[in-house]
Amino acid sequence: MKVITLREGKERSLLRRHPWVFQGSIAKGGGDAGETVRVQAHDGQFLAWAAFSPSSQIRVRAWSFDEAERIDAAFFQRRIQEAVALRQRLAIDSDGIRLIHGEADGLPGLIVDQYGDLLSAQFLSAGMERWKDVIADALVAITGCPYLYERSDSGVRNLEGLEPVKGWLRHPETTDGARRSTEVTIHENGWKLTLDVAEGHKTGYYLDQRDNRGLFARLVRQFKCKTVLNCYSYTGGFSVAALEGGATDVTSVDSSGPALARASAHVTLNGYEASAHTALDADVNGSLRQFIKEGRTFDAIVLDPPKFAPSAAHADRASRAYKDINRLAFKLLNPGGLLLTFSCSGGIGGELFHKIVAGAGMDAGVDGYLLKRLEATPDHPTTITFPEGEYLKGLVIVRK
Ligand code: SAH
């Protein structure tokens, strides 16, 4: 068994059950990519069993803080069972569910979403790469989903020294070698939504906004919003929500053509008139400026941009970018109108995000009531020992 010894004082974070050790905290020791190592304090005290990652800044990711626990197939089966059991108790009213949410589920570097009979997974760390086969078998056995597609084509794999990988990881044998389509229809808030696990973003869809999309439908109805602008719409989840809420003129803006095509398809798939929806393949920032020039205004606006700040180091530039789009959105909002504004940047805390949006309102000369703070759905849990896990934050604002 390889041993990693930390520098004096660097044991504190593992003792608080935070699962990461950075390169600079290690005094001596090493291992192969993904190898299980024993991590100990400078005086030899056991701290954790962990996966070693020789090329990552996060050199060590803890598997277990229990010295008696063995890191083997049964360990992964237990962790997956626990994660799936939590989702069952959450009684999520959808067949699109995040089953494994990385660190929060004690499985650092693993993301698994279930879409109907299809699992879509990302293996994002050296440790996960090493245990991939064991995990794939356990996932199929525990969920009963026969189809497992791998979407390990995320850029973060580079940081772990891993190549991008994409394709079927588990698929039942067929006599003619035929493969299930990578398309699937899920049901969310009573709507039908389609996605393609091979072509969609991340694992195929953004399940973390499920409850916020449901809330948006109710708010649009309550506030009698008719004209709605959905920025960074992806496949139009918030647009379908707006239509359900009674909106008559919904615009989805995204820079992905395939995502927008799906957004338009979702409008008619859910029984709404195609003419109630406009899909705009464009940069959001430019579109907001264009709408201001044209003198257009909206009863409700959603801003759900991609991650502007991947880490705290990018917080400054990201803050300016968030402020910019929020200022423009405030200008486009009718009095009494609704703004749902989000940040999914781990590097931007909730308090900072609130300040940015407040500053944007000031610059636009607009005040608003803060109706509600929003977060990710509970199948994307956080733990009390891993604050980095809290990435999605949102505000519901009603313009005065
Ligand atoms: N609200 C969506 C998820 C948004 S994900 C939902 O509920 O499903 C962020 C989206 O922003 C992606 O679809 C991406 O294509 C889009 N995007 C990224 N940069 C953009 C830009 N500059 N202008 C327009 N869209 C952009």
Side-chain angles (χ1 to χ4, degrees):
M1 174 60 60
K2 304 239 173 97
V3 175
I4 305 290
T5 307
L6 301 190
R7 290 159 53 166
E8 194 165 352
K10 295 299 184 186
E11 68 281 1
R12 272 187 227 120
S13 129
L14 283 179
L15 284 173
R16 284 199 305 262
R17 300 199 161 213
H18 185 287
W20 295 350
V21 177
F22 289 90
Q23 178 201 4
S25 302
I26 296 176
K28 62 172 192 264
D32 295 333
E35 190 175 353
T36 301
V37 291
R38 176 194 158 97
V39 187
Q40 60 182 32
H42 70 101
D43 60 359
Q45 181 198 356
F46 171 87
L47 296 170
W49 299 116
F52 192 74
S53 184
S55 56
S56 173
Q57 280 297 316
I58 306 173
R59 205 46 64 99
V60 158
R61 283 179 166 84
W63 291 130
S64 170
F65 299 99
D66 175 1
E67 193 168 5
E69 190 154 36
R70 280 188 55 199
I71 309 306
D72 53 13
F75 166 81
F76 289 98
Q77 287 158 6
R78 281 196 303 278
R79 287 278 159 100
I80 292 168
Q81 247 149 4
E82 248 174 70
V84 170
L86 172 72
R87 276 51 175 195
Q88 282 163 352
R89 286 157 67 198
L90 289 171
I92 295 158
D93 185 20
S94 173
D95 51 2
I97 296 175
R98 172 142 305 183
L99 291 183
I100 314 273
H101 190 54
E103 276 75 1
D105 288 304
L107 293 165
L110 180 66
I111 299 294
V112 183
D113 288 333
Q114 177 171 3
Y115 299 117
D117 65 343
L118 233 165
L119 299 173
S120 183
Q122 296 181 303
F123 296 77
L124 302 175
S125 63
M128 281 306 162
E129 185 70 16
R130 186 121 171 172
W131 289 96
K132 192 187 281 180
D133 264 336
V134 163
I135 289 168
D137 287 340
L139 282 169
V140 169
I142 291 166
T143 63
C145 286
Y147 304 101
L148 169 59
Y149 197 85
E150 179 177 13
R151 282 300 303 272
S152 303
D153 52 344
S154 160
V156 302
R157 291 225 342 158
N158 296 335
L159 306 175
E160 296 279 318
L162 301 169
E163 296 288 317
V165 185
K166 183 176 155 178
W168 287 111
L169 200 54
R170 291 292 180 273
H171 191 294
E173 287 298 327
T174 50
T175 45
D176 58 356
R179 289 285 178 258
R180 185 201 187 286
S181 151
T182 49
E183 281 240 339
V184 60
T185 301
I186 59 165
H187 305 81
E188 170 188 294
N189 297 303
W191 315 316
K192 280 183 263 183
L193 298 165
T194 66
L195 60 105
D196 186 329
V197 290
E199 300 306 328
H201 294 180
K202 308 274 177 72
T203 67
Y205 187 59
Y206 295 93
L207 294 168
D208 53 357
Q209 292 280 28
R210 181 197 314 113
D211 291 351
N212 297 330
R213 285 185 285 258
L215 173 71
F216 188 56
R218 296 191 293 278
L219 287 171
V220 164
R221 183 162 302 283
Q222 201 175 334
F223 284 80
K224 301 185 169 47
C225 303
K226 296 298 168 200
T227 52
V228 175
L229 177 61
N230 180 10
C231 298
Y232 309 97
S233 66
Y234 189 47
T235 56
F238 280 105
S239 302
V240 173
L243 290 166
E244 178 182 313
T248 51
D249 180 359
V250 178
T251 304
S252 302
V253 187
D254 203 283
S255 54
S256 157
L260 280 175
R262 217 173 264 282
S264 297
H266 284 156
V267 170
T268 47
L269 179 67
N270 287 283
Y272 300 104
E273 292 296 329
S275 59
H277 179 251
T278 307
L280 200 57
D281 187 344
D283 167 58
V284 162
N285 203 296
S287 304
L288 294 173
R289 288 171 200 277
Q290 184 63 30
F291 290 143
I292 291 174
K293 254 194 227 157
E294 292 167 2
R296 275 187 73 173
T297 58
F298 298 90
D299 297 335
I301 300 177
V302 178
L303 290 178
D304 184 20
K307 206 191 287 173
F308 287 160
S311 73
H314 305 78
D316 270 357
R317 238 184 70 197
S319 299
R320 285 195 291 278
Y322 283 118
K323 190 172 175 186
D324 225 22
I325 55 169
N326 279 279
R327 177 176 51 82
L328 297 169
F330 272 123
K331 286 193 175 180
L332 287 167
L333 203 58
N334 287 326
L338 276 177
L339 174 64
L340 254 72
T341 181
F342 295 96
S343 161
C344 60
S345 295
I348 304 269
E351 219 170 302
L352 175 57
F353 185 57
H354 187 163
K355 274 194 194 137
I356 294 168
V357 175
M362 289 284 281
D363 284 4
V366 165
D367 199 0
Y369 297 104
L370 178 56
L371 270 200
K372 204 172 165 54
R373 291 170 192 279
L374 304 175
E375 58 193 1
T377 45
D379 48 337
H380 299 60
T382 51
T383 60
I384 52 180
T385 50
F386 186 64
E388 283 92 335
E390 240 168 281
Y391 66 105
L392 183 68
K393 60 237 23 139
L395 302 171
V396 182
I397 296 163
V398 179
R399 192 188 152 169
K400 283 195 175 180

